Amino acid sequence: MFSPVHTFGSLFIWFSCQVSAVIFQQSPPQIVKDSTEVQINCSHDDTSLSIMLWYEHRTVQDSLSMTLIGSGYDTSAPNYEGQFEQQFKLTREDAVRGSLIIRKANPSQSAVYFCAATANNNQPAYFGQGTKLTVLGKEDGLNITPPTVQVLRPSSKECGNDDAPKKTIVCVASGFYPDHVSVSWQVDGEAVTTGVATDNAALREDDFYKITSRLRVSTKNWFNPETVFTCTVSFYNGTHTETYSDSLHGEEGGGMTREKYLRSTQTAKLSYGVFIIKSSIYGACVAFLVWKLQRSAGKQNH
């Protein structure tokens, strides 16, 4: 967890790694049409954290940007950063409940909105889980489209190192819109997280999105045709979340495991040793023959 300091008037906010100390609840993800009013609610369980803050987290030119929208005590009017007061409205019910209202949402405001809370100056700010918002543009003409999921077999050239040979299984989810997705892996129906590497965010390709996830497994697991590897993509379609999956089985036998590699090298060493011995014997025989012929020729000359 990073810890930069953000300034709001005389208020300094520190992003704390102690986010688990306070329990937050934020509105679920939303997909709305252009010019729609959007309300994102937030609540937490610590009455001592009377200052509530709202942040906009979005991608700007391939980099992530965390921008403070505004904050305030429950007993006073909120303060806004820059021109945000024209676009947003912050409301409070009490010390632990508040809302962020986007007056007329537009596609440029598609982002993840985080609610945070702190007690006073120089105290850690605790963050909620965030609410992802997608605003559909009028001119886009795009429909909500679920992903196509495909699991790809490892490259035959991949063998890892001798101590821990690995295979990489790749999952590609493509052709979906918008980018409300998450990716998970299962091996024989059991969820796995070790060895999983998923793109930080879906990439836009023309009108749709694509995301890739990789699962590294041991060659022992991969070279077992009874093992089933499944990639599951959860996609939020604006009303509920649906799952889309693809699976493949491990391969039959084969594969350069460490044991097989050691056996093959031992066999190669033995074969090379036999070759050297045979070559030596052959060389000795040739030398003996040459000597004998030379001796025979010498006797004839005499």
Side-chain angles (χ1 to χ4, degrees):
M1 190 75 179
F2 54 94
S3 13
V5 175
H6 285 249
T7 307
F8 176 70
S10 61
L11 178 67
F12 293 91
I13 302 302
W14 170 39
F15 289 130
S16 170
C17 61
Q18 304 176 33
V19 290
S20 60
V22 180
I23 298 175
F24 278 84
Q25 289 186 339
Q26 280 193 226
S27 297
Q30 298 185 47
I31 300 175
V32 301
K33 294 181 179 180
D34 195 3
S35 300
T36 301
E37 182 178 281
V38 176
Q39 179 170 322
I40 300 174
N41 300 320
C42 172
S43 65
H44 59 81
D45 64 348
D46 191 336
T47 56
S48 69
L49 305 178
S50 57
I51 303 176
M52 184 170 285
L53 308 97
W54 286 93
Y55 285 86
E56 181 184 68
H57 187 230
R58 61 193 181 97
T59 302
V60 180
Q61 296 180 346
D62 298 327
S63 63
L64 294 177
S65 170
M66 186 75 125
T67 305
L68 177 63
I69 297 170
S71 69
Y73 291 88
D74 61 317
T75 56
S76 61
N79 296 302
Y80 297 88
E81 291 288 301
Q83 302 299 313
F84 283 128
E85 187 171 5
Q86 300 174 9
Q87 308 168 37
F88 300 90
K89 179 181 178 182
L90 305 183
T91 65
R92 294 292 292 276
E93 292 185 41
D94 50 40
V96 297
R97 290 182 296 175
S99 299
L100 170 71
I101 297 172
I102 306 176
R103 301 179 190 277
K104 294 181 67 175
N106 63 72
S108 68
Q109 292 170 322
S110 294
V112 180
Y113 291 90
F114 285 93
C115 169
T118 186
N120 52 55
N121 294 358
N122 300 318
Q123 292 298 312
Y126 300 89
F127 278 71
Q129 74 275 20
T131 297
K132 185 175 179 64
L133 170 68
T134 295
V135 183
L136 306 176
K138 292 178 180 178
E139 69 285 353
D140 291 342
L142 297 175
N143 295 318
I144 295 174
T145 307
T148 298
V149 182
Q150 185 178 13
V151 179
L152 307 177
R153 293 180 175 275
S155 167
S156 59
K157 298 180 181 179
E158 183 185 26
C159 60
N161 57 59
D162 298 339
D163 294 325
K166 296 284 186 178
K167 289 290 184 180
T168 303
I169 306 169
V170 179
C171 174
V172 180
S174 58
F176 58 91
Y177 182 85
D179 58 336
H180 287 242
V181 294
S182 61
V183 184
S184 60
W185 285 91
Q186 300 82 39
V187 177
D188 290 336
E190 296 291 329
V192 294
T193 55
T194 303
V196 174
T198 304
D199 294 344
N200 291 328
L203 299 177
R204 187 75 178 260
E205 293 186 342
D206 297 325
D207 291 337
F208 299 98
Y209 286 92
K210 174 182 178 180
I211 193 168
T212 303
S213 182
R214 293 153 292 280
L215 173 64
R216 292 269 285 170
V217 299
S218 67
T219 51
K220 180 180 179 181
N221 278 350
W222 173 247
F223 290 109
N224 180 354
E226 295 183 359
T227 304
V228 181
F229 304 92
T230 302
C231 173
T232 300
V233 178
S234 300
F235 175 72
Y236 178 69
N237 61 15
T239 57
H240 62 281
T241 298
E242 294 185 344
T243 57
Y244 301 84
S245 302
D246 189 31
S247 302
L248 57 77
H249 287 258
E251 292 183 356
E252 181 75 39
M256 185 59 72
T257 63
R258 183 172 186 272
E259 291 74 13
K260 289 185 178 181
Y261 173 78
L262 291 175
R263 285 201 299 269
S264 66
T265 53
Q266 289 294 337
T267 302
K269 288 179 182 177
L270 180 61
S271 299
Y272 183 71
V274 172
F275 172 76
I276 293 297
I277 294 172
K278 286 183 176 181
S279 298
S280 300
I281 294 173
Y282 177 76
C285 291
V286 171
F288 176 75
L289 246 131
V290 170
W291 173 79
K292 195 168 183 181
L293 287 172
Q294 288 177 341
R295 186 178 178 188
S296 175
K299 286 183 178 180
Q300 289 178 2
N301 290 333
H302 285 300

